[in-house]
Amino acid sequence: MDIARSPLARPFPEMPPIAGVTLRVARAGYKAWDRADLTLVELAEGTSVAGVFTTSACASSEVEMGREQVKQGQARALVVNAGNSNAFTGQRGREVVEQIVGQVAEALSCSTNEVFVSSTGVIGVPLPGDKARAGIEAALAAEPCGWEDAAQAIGTTDTFTKGAVAAAMPGGTRVELAGFIKGSGMIAPDMATMLGYIFTDAAVAPGFLQEMLAKANAATFSCITVDGDTSTSDTVLAFATGKADNPQLASWDDAGADAFYAALLEVCRELAQLVVRDGEGAQKFIEVAVTGAESDASARRIGLAIANSPLVKTAIAGGDANWGRVVMAVGKAGEPADRDRLSIGFGGTWAARDGEPLPDYDEAPVAQHLQGEEIRIDVDLGIGTGRATVWTCDLTHGYIAINADYRS
Amino acid sequence: MDIARSPLARPFPEMPPIAGVTLRVARAGYKAWDRADLTLVELAEGTSVAGVFTTSACASSEVEMGREQVKQGQARALVVNAGNSNAFTGQRGREVVEQIVGQVAEALSCSTNEVFVSSTGVIGVPLPGDKARAGIEAALAAEPCGWEDAAQAIGTTDTFTKGAVAAAMPGGTRVELAGFIKGSGMIAPDMATMLGYIFTDAAVAPGFLQEMLAKANAATFSCITVDGDTSTSDTVLAFATGKADNPQLASWDDAGADAFYAALLEVCRELAQLVVRDGEGAQKFIEVAVTGAESDASARRIGLAIANSPLVKTAIAGGDANWGRVVMAVGKAGEPADRDRLSIGFGGTWAARDGEPLPDYDEAPVAQHLQGEEIRIDVDLGIGTGRATVWTCDLTHGYIAINADYRS
């Protein structure tokens, strides 16, 4: 099927090379398509790695292995297979991952522990070992490519290619951050969402990189949802090659650690929002800002209850300022709330305050706001200081068309 | 808008009168429509009542009052307003409910505690007190009507009228049970779903009636979902007039208590399934049977994760035996599961066993099954003896059309 490019798409940004990172792609032919579908990223010796993964109880072998690998903190290569997730494929699936890791480790003379693998696509079909082997051979022999080619090669149902970039000056040394990501459906919170990769030439100790990635993940990838469905393969990895020769960042007390984290957070937020902008069938980008909750965690759960509500999402799709459905979603979130202190607004205009519709509520500016592509919902619980912002898209005929009208 | 009658609709059953129950309807005109929208049920003195209500933190005044009223266990009247839920209407909303209760209690010379009120429809608009007063006056003066008229008058977006009936012989005395329900969208688990009312001429002590209703609710209304969205007004009430003159049922040890419970369970299950059959946009009725889970509660949560998954629901809508999406939903449920022991089947045919696709899996009978209107998904976790069955419908363009294409 041909899926139209999302109206919320963003152009791929200008992204600088990152010293110590070499990108290559190849055609493994995992599906009957005419495109590169295997990405091989070679990383300089001494590269630190951190990762966050799906919380699914049915995670793929790639995720199981990655969870173990990040513990030792070093990476020399990343392989991403597109078109087949290799999830729920039992022993046969595990063997193919081991084969890939062995092949790359031998070629790069590194430990198998330092070769990370991700796969995305259909569930329940073992990744074909012969195609993987030939694809990696071709990638190892290929000329290096740019960010956009690599970002394109990891996509599946994505309608546009997604990258983000930032820079920081820790300890007076300029460091670059670049990341790319894929994802459009089966997007839900409570995990590292989808396949996302962030590269930097900064020198960062693995443990501290993991701490920063986990913190950024909680405020970005874990705050987006397209359909509330959590994938079996979600992975976000961050690689730091150290080639910028800044004094190594190892704790929050180090000079420039806060600046580096701010840049990392910026890349994570942009990548996360790009996935929502490519949400299946999305016509509108929705920001839900929750304030006055009992805690930040409670605010996030309330925000996600709103963002995952089919009735809220279809109301926005229809340009309907149906704040009653927002009340419903707050009520079902299972979090502390006081109906009579609850306030709800759209695009900066309050529709209801302290549990009642505003008597002088003017729907005109709200209706105007809902005609746009960037929608803002404000919810104030009025019972505490907890706050969170989550992002989602509307629920349209496009989602049904992509997931029901065509066989996957 | 005109919504087509659900293809899964069932005819309204033959329902006998229940001694001690008098039904009347009237036109309060809560919306600009040409139909009865106020139902008044008069109950004989000595009627026991039990109720289960939404768990929403933003419940309506009607629900708040009902939660208190069931504690004293006696009922003389029920009023149901259709077209306006009176939820999220603050003090003004509360005052209208108090006015209704006062008016009916005075007419029937009973306590205000014995008058139950439910309202369903738009959220955030106070129920107009003048219309309610005139409607109740008209209902009090009206001729008694039959079950179908009453069931019709409580409906809103329902595309068919829903009733269920059963009988039992506790202590050798025949007792009748009759119930009706409304609901189509904003249907989700973890509560008494929608507005449902069950009447019996059996003599049952209020505390025991509550115990039985709560138990039946857990296996029926709490096991259905249309869209995962929990309403602010969900209510199921059971009334026992005692007019059958059976020896009063007061505990599980009483003769016939089990038989009466079986009949109550049957009515609850039928009513719950009728709501799913009228799910917004539903084209297929889906039964998800989960076995081998760590506990019954865990099985239910896994079943609901599957039943609420947009990707599973759209796959069924498309006639796609996409068991990979079922694996995904099991994985995201947050419940104990072992990927390598998981088995999944459709319509009695296993597609995957012990974490792998079956090598001799024959998709033909499954594809045939998925063309039908009654779909069965089997999931065996293989780790325990917990089991649960939940019911849902598919997710189609009809759901989007009802909730996005038209302003509510």
Side-chain angles (χ1 to χ4, degrees), chain B residues 148-170:
Chain B
E148 192 164 1
D149 286 340
Q152 202 150 24
I154 72 167
T156 54
T157 57
D158 304 63
T159 75
F160 66 96
T161 305
K162 307 169 187 73
V165 68
M169 295 280 283

Side-chain angles (χ1 to χ4, degrees), chain A residues 66-140:
Chain A
R67 283 178 186 149
E68 289 306 309
Q69 288 175 307
V70 290
K71 290 180 188 161
Q72 48 79 32
Q74 299 293 316
R76 287 296 313 284
L78 164 71
V79 175
V80 185
N81 305 298
N84 184 325
S85 78
N86 197 37
F88 207 67
T89 53
Q91 184 56 33
R92 280 188 293 163
R94 267 191 292 279
E95 284 165 7
V96 181
V97 183
E98 281 160 14
Q99 171 200 304
I100 291 172
V101 164
Q103 184 183 1
V104 174
E106 198 185 322
L108 302 185
S109 303
C110 67
S111 151
T112 53
N113 252 337
E114 297 173 313
V115 180
F116 289 76
V117 183
S118 307
S119 303
T120 175
V122 65
I123 293 174
V125 180
L127 197 69
D130 51 343
K131 290 185 179 176
R133 183 176 296 282
I136 286 171
E137 244 174 66
L140 285 165

Side-chain angles (χ1 to χ4, degrees), chain B residues 125-211:
Chain B
V125 180
L127 198 70
D130 51 343
K131 291 185 178 176
R133 183 176 297 281
I136 286 171
E137 245 174 66
L140 285 165
E143 286 298 307
C145 67
W147 292 109
E148 192 164 1
D149 286 340
Q152 202 150 24
I154 72 167
T156 54
T157 57
D158 304 63
T159 75
F160 66 96
T161 305
K162 307 169 187 73
V165 68
M169 295 280 283
T173 311
R174 180 180 170 97
V175 303
E176 311 282 349
L177 294 88
F180 53 85
I181 198 162
K182 62 90 44 182
S184 181
M186 209 178 275
I187 302 288
D190 262 342
M191 30 99 240
T193 302
M194 301 294 83
L195 302 186
Y197 307 100
I198 299 155
F199 303 88
T200 177
D201 53 4
V204 188
F208 187 50
L209 186 61
Q210 182 67 38
E211 191 179 333

Side-chain angles (χ1 to χ4, degrees), chain B residues 204-360:
Chain B
V204 188
F208 187 50
L209 186 61
Q210 182 67 38
E211 191 179 333
M212 286 192 289
L213 180 63
K215 184 173 160 148
N217 172 60
T220 58
F221 301 110
S222 287
C223 290
I224 65 169
T225 179
V226 168
D227 50 17
D229 273 347
T230 303
S231 158
T232 49
S233 307
D234 302 328
T235 297
V236 172
L237 294 169
F239 302 97
T241 66
K243 294 293 176 192
D245 284 332
N246 59 299
Q248 196 194 45
L249 298 172
S251 87
W252 295 105
D253 299 331
D254 292 337
D258 288 342
F260 179 82
Y261 176 72
L264 179 67
L265 184 65
E266 188 184 325
V267 171
C268 289
R269 188 188 294 121
E270 176 65 13
L271 291 176
Q273 293 190 1
L274 286 171
V275 170
V276 170
R277 288 181 187 282
D278 205 8
E280 287 174 342
Q283 297 287 320
K284 292 173 193 288
F285 178 85
I286 307 171
E287 178 167 279
V288 182
V290 179
T291 55
E294 199 186 59
S295 67
D296 288 354
S298 178
R300 174 174 162 271
R301 283 190 288 267
I302 289 168
L304 287 170
I306 297 165
N308 276 321
S309 160
L311 288 172
V312 171
K313 294 159 85 84
T314 48
I316 299 297
D320 181 5
N322 196 321
W323 51 266
R325 294 183 181 178
V326 179
V327 173
M328 175 280 301
V330 172
K332 78 163 182 170
E335 292 297 318
D338 179 342
R339 185 192 63 198
D340 297 337
R341 289 178 153 195
L342 183 60
S343 302
I344 290 164
F346 295 91
T349 305
W350 291 106
R353 265 280 189 204
D354 298 326
E356 290 190 61
L358 278 178
D360 56 350

Side-chain angles (χ1 to χ4, degrees), chain B residues 29-54:
Chain B
Y30 292 125
K31 289 182 75 171
W33 53 21
D34 182 30
R35 50 161 278 193
D37 54 5
L38 187 151
T39 306
L40 173 65
V41 184
E42 196 179 330
L43 300 154
E45 272 185 63
T47 294
S48 299
V49 62
V52 281
F53 300 91
T54 180

Side-chain angles (χ1 to χ4, degrees), chain A residues 55-61 64 87-92 94 123-126 185-188 227-232 280 305 308-315 317-325 327-332 335-340 342-344 352-357 363 367 371 395-408, chain B residues 55-61 64 87-92 94 123-126 185-188 227-232 280 305 308-315 317-325 327-332 335-340 342-344 352-357 363 367 371 395-408:
Chain A
T55 56
S56 172
C58 297
S60 66
S61 297
E64 285 186 336
F88 207 67
T89 53
Q91 184 56 33
R92 280 188 293 163
R94 267 191 292 279
I123 293 174
V125 180
M186 209 179 273
I187 301 287
D227 49 17
D229 273 348
T230 302
S231 158
T232 48
E280 288 175 341
N308 275 322
S309 160
L311 289 171
V312 171
K313 293 159 86 85
T314 48
D320 181 4
N322 195 321
W323 52 266
R325 295 185 182 178
V327 174
M328 175 279 300
V330 172
K332 79 165 182 168
E335 292 296 319
D338 180 342
R339 185 191 64 199
D340 297 336
L342 183 59
S343 302
I344 290 164
R353 266 279 187 203
D354 298 327
E356 289 191 60
E363 208 182 317
Q371 292 307 308
L395 175 58
T396 70
H397 284 290
Y399 186 88
I400 308 291
I402 291 168
N403 289 300
D405 296 354
Y406 299 82
R407 296 293 294 266
S408 53
Chain B
T55 56
S56 172
C58 296
S60 66
S61 297
E64 285 185 336
F88 207 68
T89 53
Q91 184 56 32
R92 280 189 294 163
R94 268 189 293 278
I123 293 174
V125 180
M186 209 178 275
I187 302 288
D227 50 17
D229 273 347
T230 303
S231 158
T232 49
E280 287 174 342
N308 276 321
S309 160
L311 288 172
V312 171
K313 294 159 85 84
T314 48
D320 181 5
N322 196 321
W323 51 266
R325 294 183 181 178
V327 173
M328 175 280 301
V330 172
K332 78 163 182 170
E335 292 297 318
D338 179 342
R339 185 192 63 198
D340 297 337
L342 183 60
S343 302
I344 290 164
R353 265 280 189 204
D354 298 326
E356 290 190 61
E363 208 181 317
Q371 292 308 308
L395 174 58
T396 70
H397 284 289
Y399 186 87
I400 308 291
I402 292 167
N403 289 300
D405 297 354
Y406 299 83
R407 296 290 297 266
S408 54

